[in-house]
Amino acid sequence: MLGILVAAAALSIPRATWQYFGLFTTLVHELGHAFAAVLSGRVVHGIRIRRNHSGDALSSGRGTFGTVVSGVLGYPAPALVGAAQLWSVFNGYTAIALFAGGLVLLLTLLVIRNLFGALVVLASVAVSAALWVYATPEVQSYALLVLGVALLVGAVRGLVTVIGVHVRRRDQLLTSDAYLLYRRTGVPSVVWLAIFAALIGGCCVLTVMSYLGR
């Protein structure tokens, strides 16, 4: 477990590795927006991922409910996916989780709308395919454990970043989902930030409970 934590930290904390792994975290963030949009009856028009770790998930639909659901599930998405992957490994569903993740990534190619984003998705698909084809079940389990923990750390890192935008870099507020939700609903940004924090924190707590209860 210590080795898994060290490997996950090496992916998600140092700047040298985060510049690459952070792109995957951004992809999961935008997929969270897109998935929530579909579930709430909106139409997804496309996803873009940029080199500076920013992205867009464009969707349209009537009413405020779909906009709120889609807006809320961006920052918590990496934590939700990470927690789901860890739960799958703890309960013996590693192969299913790996297959489902690869399938989602393949389907994502249908909605990617920029070349760099397509390259990020293709690189993620290549890693998933290599694990599926060449890795032993044990290696697959360790890989998903590292990825799941790294996504949880990435989610916390994203939360700290967006809080920093509201506290110190208010000229960048248009990059914050919390601010965009405030403009859409009139509910203060701090409420949305608290919801992000509660969802991410809940995923971390449930992951620890799942590990202790396995």
Side-chain angles (χ1 to χ4, degrees), residues 1-213:
M1 180 55 67
L2 179 60
I4 290 168
L5 293 175
V6 169
L11 270 180
S12 55
I13 295 178
R15 182 176 298 180
T17 51
W18 178 251
Q19 64 179 324
Y20 301 108
F21 183 74
L23 294 171
F24 179 71
T25 305
T26 299
L27 173 62
V28 176
H29 175 120
E30 300 304 334
L31 283 174
H33 285 312
F35 184 71
V38 171
L39 288 182
S40 58
R42 294 174 65 82
V43 177
V44 176
H45 300 292
I47 292 174
R48 293 182 176 85
I49 306 295
R50 304 182 186 88
R51 286 183 175 84
N52 64 355
H53 294 191
S54 66
D56 298 307
L58 304 176
S59 64
S60 62
R62 295 182 178 180
T64 303
F65 176 75
T67 302
V68 170
V69 173
S70 176
V72 165
L73 285 185
Y75 284 103
L80 292 167
V81 172
Q85 288 183 329
L86 292 166
W87 181 89
S88 298
V89 176
F90 295 154
N91 291 276
Y93 301 114
T94 299
I96 295 174
L98 186 59
F99 177 80
L103 182 60
V104 169
L105 289 171
L106 282 173
L107 294 175
T108 302
L109 290 171
L110 299 176
V111 293
I112 284 291
R113 294 293 181 264
N114 68 324
L115 177 59
F116 185 76
L119 292 175
V120 173
V121 176
L122 287 172
S124 303
V125 169
V127 172
S128 180
L131 286 172
W132 180 262
V133 174
Y134 298 110
T136 65
E138 184 178 20
V139 171
Q140 290 175 354
S141 295
Y142 282 125
L144 285 189
L145 287 173
V146 170
L147 179 60
V149 175
L151 283 172
L152 285 172
V153 175
V156 173
R157 183 167 181 160
L159 177 64
V160 171
T161 298
V162 73
I163 291 174
V165 167
H166 285 265
V167 174
R168 298 186 303 272
R169 301 186 299 277
R170 296 186 62 83
D171 58 315
Q172 301 176 19
L173 279 176
L174 287 176
T175 66
S176 166
D177 292 342
Y179 179 73
L180 296 177
L181 284 165
Y182 156 68
R183 293 186 60 178
R184 178 69 175 178
T185 65
V187 177
S189 298
V190 66
V191 174
W192 302 113
L193 291 172
I195 292 173
F196 299 164
L199 290 172
I200 293 170
C203 287
C204 295
V205 171
L206 289 175
T207 296
V208 172
M209 292 175 61
S210 178
Y211 172 70
L212 294 176

